[in-house]
Amino acid sequence: MNFDTDNVTGYQLSKSYPLDSSTWYVEARGHTADQGPQRVRVYAIALYDPQDNFDVKIFSSDFEGAGQTQGSVSLILNSTYALAGGGASTDEFLVSNYPYQEFGVANWRASFITDPLRPGGVSTTGLKVYVIGIRAKNANYSVSGEPIGNVQMTSTQQIFSSQSSSLPGYLEMVGGGFIASNATIQGSYPLSPINNDGLFIWSAKAVNLGLKNPSLVVFGLGLGISSSDTNNPNNIQAPTSTCSASLTQSLVSSWPVGVQIEVVITNTGTEDLVNVGFYASQPSLITLIWAVHETSYIYNGFYNNVYTLPTTLGILPVGASFQFGFLATNVTELSIVYTNC
């Protein structure tokens, strides 16, 4: 699924989504009506299911954000399905299009902006998001989907790229996504195994628009299928490890001009964490944050800050917690955006 283009002069991703159960559709647009020819590669990842053991379904949202210069849509997956992919469609530029899962709730998120090089325009159609779910028809099977993110990368180059972390061995790569800040996207696609280790990663390629601090976060989406049928020749073992974290926050003090909030991040998985990324729903309220390293990007069409565990922490062992605090003019919620083992 998704695409890559060789034209580095201005064709950007605007549509990448499942047209039906066997077709992936991609469209790129330029900054002007005619920017010359382009070549686009489209990638598709298929499930081989000759015995019809699995039910795969595409869910979609309505178009939202027509008449706006930016917008975002999040579509929650039906809880009876595991996350297996997703996409988005707009008449403008996609700047985020990625899988997300927290506390067992899976969804697909995307956002768009109008052309930064042609200010004043608004979207005609807005944005539509798709999410693909999979579940077993056969009681001998169980299915789970896991998004795997990476650390945010910044660059001053005109064209720059980044990759997701390699998936754990019990997961198969089925998709991926990205979040771009002050940049647009020219590619989002799977890479072949690196160094012959058999592990796939997801890659994305962005274009620096000449704005401040362009950056890119890339996500891979893995699918795990386990079977209790000993007669199954393709018996795939269930996951033996998880990479996850929880975030809790509590109000410590409150004054007429603001609040002090304490945050605790706990490693709730079965592997040591090397990084956890999280964001604020209303970053403009935050006046000071400590004991954590700060980066920023455009998130869901609005200015937000993404924070990561400080490099001095090293790792966060299984069951261990990391604590920090922040001051804000009012209470704002923080939530996990990715974890890395």
Side-chain angles (χ1 to χ4, degrees), residues 26 28 36-37 49 57 88 117 123 151 158 192 199 218 233 245 268 281 283 295:
V26 166
D49 183 21
K57 186 173 182 179
L117 303 184
S123 173
V151 179
Q158 180 185 7
S192 298
L199 299 177
V218 182
T268 56
S281 60
T295 56

Side-chain angles (χ1 to χ4, degrees), residues 130-310:
Y130 301 76
V131 61
I132 303 171
I134 181 173
R135 63 185 177 186
K137 297 179 181 179
N138 188 326
N140 290 324
Y141 292 90
S142 62
V143 186
S144 63
E146 294 185 29
I148 306 293
N150 77 340
V151 179
Q152 183 186 42
M153 191 199 88
T154 60
S155 177
T156 57
Q157 298 179 348
Q158 180 185 7
I159 307 293
F160 63 101
S161 61
S162 184
Q163 289 80 41
S164 68
S165 301
S166 295
L167 295 176
Y170 60 83
L171 296 178
E172 295 291 337
M173 177 73 77
V174 293
F178 57 85
I179 304 174
S181 168
N182 293 333
T184 50
I185 294 295
Q186 281 199 332
S188 177
Y189 48 89
L191 287 181
S192 298
I194 304 300
N195 300 323
N196 296 317
D197 58 7
L199 299 177
F200 282 82
I201 60 176
W202 199 265
S203 180
K205 182 168 61 176
V207 180
N208 185 342
L209 299 177
L211 304 176
K212 184 179 179 181
N213 298 325
S215 64
L216 184 62
V217 177
V218 182
F219 298 82
L221 176 61
L223 187 68
I225 300 177
S226 61
S227 171
S228 59
D229 184 0
T230 56
N231 295 319
N232 173 21
N234 297 317
N235 184 21
I236 303 173
Q237 299 301 313
T240 57
S241 60
T242 59
C243 181
S244 63
S246 65
L247 184 151
T248 59
Q249 64 181 64
S250 56
L251 181 64
V252 176
S253 302
S254 178
W255 315 282
V257 293
V259 295
Q260 178 181 344
I261 295 177
E262 180 183 275
V263 180
V264 178
I265 292 180
T266 303
N267 183 348
T268 56
T270 59
E271 294 187 49
D272 293 343
L273 292 177
V274 297
N275 205 359
V276 176
F278 51 97
Y279 69 91
S281 60
Q282 296 174 285
S284 60
L285 300 180
I286 296 177
T287 56
L288 178 66
I289 188 168
W290 59 90
V292 70
H293 172 66
E294 179 182 354
T295 56
S296 6
Y297 59 59
I298 298 293
Y299 176 78
N300 278 357
F302 302 97
Y303 185 79
N304 274 261
N305 289 318
V306 164
Y307 306 93
T308 59
L309 294 180

